[in-house]
Amino acid sequence: MSTRTFNDAVDKLNSLQSNYAAIEASRASGGRMTQYAKHEMIEYLGRIGYSVTDLNQLNVIHVTGTKGKGSTCAFVDSIIRSTTPHRKIGLFTSPHLVSVRERIRINGVPISEEDFVRFFFEVWDRLEQNDQREYSSTLPKPMYFKFLNLMAYHAFLTLKVDTTILEVGVGGEYDSTNIVPKPIVTGVTSLGLDHVIILGATLDKIAWQKGGIYKEGVPAYTVPQPPEALEVLRSRATEKMASSFHVVHPIPELSSLPLGLAGKHQLQNATLALHLADTYLKAQGDVQGDIAQLTEPLNEAYVRGLRATKWPGRCQTVSDPDDSKSTWFLDGAHTVESLTSCAEWFVSPGLGIKPEATRVLIFNCTHGRSGAELLGALQAGFKSQIQLHESATPAEQLFDHVIFCTNVTYSDGTFKGEFTQKGLDEKDLAQLKTQTELANAWKIMIPTFPEARIHVVPSIEHAVKTVNHLRSTQDTPVDALVTGSLLLVGGLIDVANLTKSALEI
């Protein structure tokens, strides 16, 4: 048999139903498809030789939310690795920035290409050999995200991990990660309006979905939420018969601790992560003490873990490898709440506002999100932070250029192979509809902004070339804030040759 390569695996992965197509199919079904999602995932699991009870061996920490769930998982992973270095820890997250391997990590490191190929084809082949399906609506193979989730289960069970941290894909109740019968602890990060087509258009509906990860006999945690969301989460914890329900509150010690992840909003994510990790480690017997009480001052190993946490593409500052005076500010924020936090981070003293630099905003949004609303949240965040810090730079003059681009990787219209699972509307893409709407929204928001400095371009490479052209034609540094989409941030890391400095793969 011919040797199967990493590119072969990526090609087959990209042939599966995309997340975008799955969302459109769910919309067309009026949400009915979503209700079968867990049943189908359990069926896929059985077809590759496992039962749901096998997943209890993984000792799962399950995390969902609208904002900060990936960062929270990264904090939990780092805290547990720092506290119990003997443990083998599996981490499943999404999306990836540059390589799909980032979604499945062992002890903080993405699995190798060799292991990816091995586990991918073991799952692929088992599905092909066992095609018996209980439901006629079930696809022969799961869609993109579910396949990788299935592959993560297989990899973690095969490698016999001691601990698994699972980040929910979308929602919670019907998510493919939500088939583990008995996780060790569950947590819900900050909630907001996102994926409303699937989850519902109000916070209480979204909270109902997110609270679906709470389990009988398992501690349930969340952060302070709007009253209508908190009430639903509390009700869901009771309905699911969670062993306890906790709303975590600020830990004074954290305010003076330099966290590994930048941004004031990370204090809340770190707080939730501390409670999840502490509860987990006490349940496993690695740390002594009351399972419901976080001891202060904090365990030194916990502090080391918080300091060492890395999560690329989120409030990340990267010097340009070819122009050390110029800086890329990378944040995959894509909701109103997270873009407000992005603005707070960028305008914080000593960071994004350098008097001698030319500043550029590179922005895009995806999946039917309201670009005008997101841009408005970002600009409002800039304005409030500039007023707070009494900056001499008016919010309307914060950027010298703005670039609205698609998530297409290269200027010839092609994608890097691992970005092909892209979630784009082809008609929208061809007409640059979203980008033109963003440009028009910007003009309405800031009527005085020079039109010649608003750029609508068809690819990430075009955006990078625009920045590089500015750098070549002036003596001052050119700093760029890249936000609105993790896919945009990941593509730019690749095109701008930031992989070595931004990622550890």
Side-chain angles (χ1 to χ4, degrees):
M1 184 176 71
S2 61
T3 303
R4 290 151 134 182
T5 67
F6 179 69
N7 286 338
D8 292 335
V10 169
D11 286 344
K12 286 191 179 296
L13 180 63
N14 289 337
S15 74
L16 300 174
Q17 184 188 43
S18 70
N19 294 341
Y20 174 78
I23 289 171
E24 289 301 302
S26 178
R27 188 212 304 257
S29 74
R32 291 187 303 276
M33 286 179 60
T34 306
Q35 298 173 22
Y36 297 106
K38 280 199 296 189
H39 300 294
E40 291 179 351
M41 191 64 181
I42 291 169
E43 186 175 307
Y44 289 129
L45 188 71
R47 284 172 55 194
I48 67 168
Y50 300 108
S51 69
V52 289
T53 55
D54 291 328
L55 301 180
N56 287 335
Q57 301 171 34
L58 298 177
N59 295 319
V60 168
I61 300 167
H62 202 189
V63 180
T64 190
T66 305
K67 183 181 75 170
K69 58 185 173 26
S71 298
T72 299
C73 287
F75 276 127
V76 171
D77 176 59
S78 186
I79 292 167
I80 295 177
R81 283 191 285 121
S82 174
T83 309
T84 55
H86 62 279
R87 282 185 172 274
K88 183 184 288 186
I89 303 170
L91 174 63
F92 175 71
T93 59
S94 63
H96 58 273
L97 284 176
V98 174
S99 174
V100 68
R101 297 183 292 108
E102 299 164 41
R103 297 184 183 225
I104 303 174
R105 297 175 185 248
I106 301 294
N107 293 337
V109 180
I111 61 173
S112 66
E113 289 192 0
E114 292 76 16
D115 278 342
F116 188 94
V117 171
R118 170 192 166 196
F119 295 128
F120 179 91
F121 281 109
E122 285 175 354
V123 172
W124 186 275
D125 292 345
R126 290 183 192 185
L127 290 172
E128 295 222 315
Q129 291 158 10
N130 182 7
D131 193 30
Q132 186 173 354
R133 284 168 274 162
E134 182 178 348
Y135 304 100
S136 58
S137 61
T138 304
L139 298 171
K141 293 185 181 67
M143 51 83 76
Y144 188 100
F145 173 83
K146 289 182 182 178
F147 189 97
L148 289 170
N149 186 191
L150 196 65
M151 182 177 154
Y153 290 144
H154 173 55
F156 295 156
L157 286 165
T158 302
L159 295 171
K160 297 185 179 351
V161 300
D162 303 298
T163 305
T164 299
I165 303 160
L166 287 181
E167 179 195 3
V168 165
V170 175
E173 176 66 50
Y174 302 119
D175 191 71
S176 61
T177 62
N178 198 31
I179 63 171
V180 181
K182 194 83 171 178
I184 306 301
V185 64
T186 57
V188 177
T189 67
S190 180
L191 297 183
L193 298 178
D194 196 23
H195 297 293
V196 295
I197 293 168
I198 295 175
L199 305 181
T202 60
L203 273 182
D204 58 326
K205 289 180 179 178
I206 288 173
W208 187 91
Q209 294 277 358
K210 305 290 185 180
I213 72 165
Y214 293 154
K215 297 289 185 300
E216 181 177 353
V218 176
Y221 285 87
T222 192
V223 299
Q225 307 280 6
E228 66 271 33
L230 186 59
E231 181 182 348
V232 173
L233 288 176
R234 194 184 305 277
S235 173
R236 289 289 268 163
T238 300
E239 172 196 341
K240 298 282 186 177
M241 295 188 286
S243 61
S244 56
F245 179 74
H246 308 274
V247 181
V248 304
H249 295 289
I251 300 170
E253 188 178 342
L254 281 186
S255 61
S256 60
L257 181 68
L259 301 175
L261 303 186
K264 185 178 176 182
H265 60 288
Q266 294 293 357
L267 286 170
Q268 187 177 78
N269 298 329
T271 300
L272 178 59
L274 277 168
H275 282 275
L276 294 175
D278 183 67
T279 297
Y280 176 87
L281 290 165
K282 286 174 178 174
Q284 298 296 298
D286 293 296
V287 172
Q288 301 304 309
D290 183 352
I291 202 166
Q293 182 67 43
L294 182 65
T295 304
E296 296 181 60
L298 295 174
N299 182 316
E300 288 184 10
Y302 291 3
V303 172
R304 287 197 304 272
L306 290 170
R307 289 175 181 268
T309 303
K310 292 184 171 123
W311 201 231
R314 286 81 169 177
C315 293
Q316 184 180 22
T317 305
V318 181
S319 295
D320 188 90
D322 300 317
D323 180 7
S324 60
K325 294 181 181 178
S326 295
T327 304
W328 296 95
F329 296 88
L330 310 175
D331 189 25
H334 53 273
T335 67
V336 167
E337 295 82 6
S338 58
L339 283 163
T340 301
S341 296
C342 172
E344 184 179 83
W345 162 69
F346 184 73
V347 180
S348 58
L351 196 69
I353 301 182
K354 303 174 193 171
E356 74 282 3
T358 295
R359 288 183 293 275
V360 179
L361 171 66
I362 303 177
F363 189 91
N364 190 31
C365 65
T366 58
H367 292 304
R369 296 182 173 99
S370 170
E373 182 183 16
L374 297 179
L375 272 181
L378 188 64
Q379 185 63 14
F382 290 141
K383 189 172 291 188
S384 67
Q385 290 303 304
I386 283 171
Q387 290 172 350
L388 176 66
H389 299 301
E390 299 180 343
S391 171
T393 304
E396 294 77 11
Q397 298 174 25
L398 182 58
F399 295 101
D400 301 286
H401 292 261
V402 292
I403 303 172
F404 301 108
C405 69
T406 71
N407 287 341
V408 174
T409 315
Y410 303 119
S411 57
D412 63 1
T414 61
F415 292 83
K416 181 182 176 185
E418 291 169 85
F419 296 160
T420 300
Q421 201 284 310
K422 53 192 180 296
L424 295 175
D425 182 309
E426 296 298 332
K427 186 176 179 182
D428 180 318
L429 183 63
Q431 299 173 353
L432 297 179
K433 180 182 174 185
T434 296
Q435 292 67 43
T436 302
E437 289 174 351
L438 288 168
N440 290 335
W442 186 266
K443 293 174 191 175
I444 292 169
M445 264 193 325
I446 311 177
T448 57
F449 199 90
E451 191 161 349
R453 295 189 173 192
I454 301 174
H455 311 269
V456 173
V457 298
S459 75
I460 295 169
E461 187 174 2
H462 280 95
V464 172
K465 284 180 176 178
T466 302
V467 172
N468 288 339
H469 175 72
L470 291 172
R471 288 174 178 164
S472 68
T473 55
Q474 56 192 48
D475 296 328
T476 58
V478 177
D479 292 345
L481 171 63
V482 186
T483 191
S485 165
L486 272 169
L487 293 167
L488 168 63
V489 170
L492 187 131
I493 287 173
D494 179 72
V495 172
N497 298 316
L498 305 180
T499 302
K500 185 175 180 181
S501 50
L503 306 180
E504 293 185 359
I505 298 180

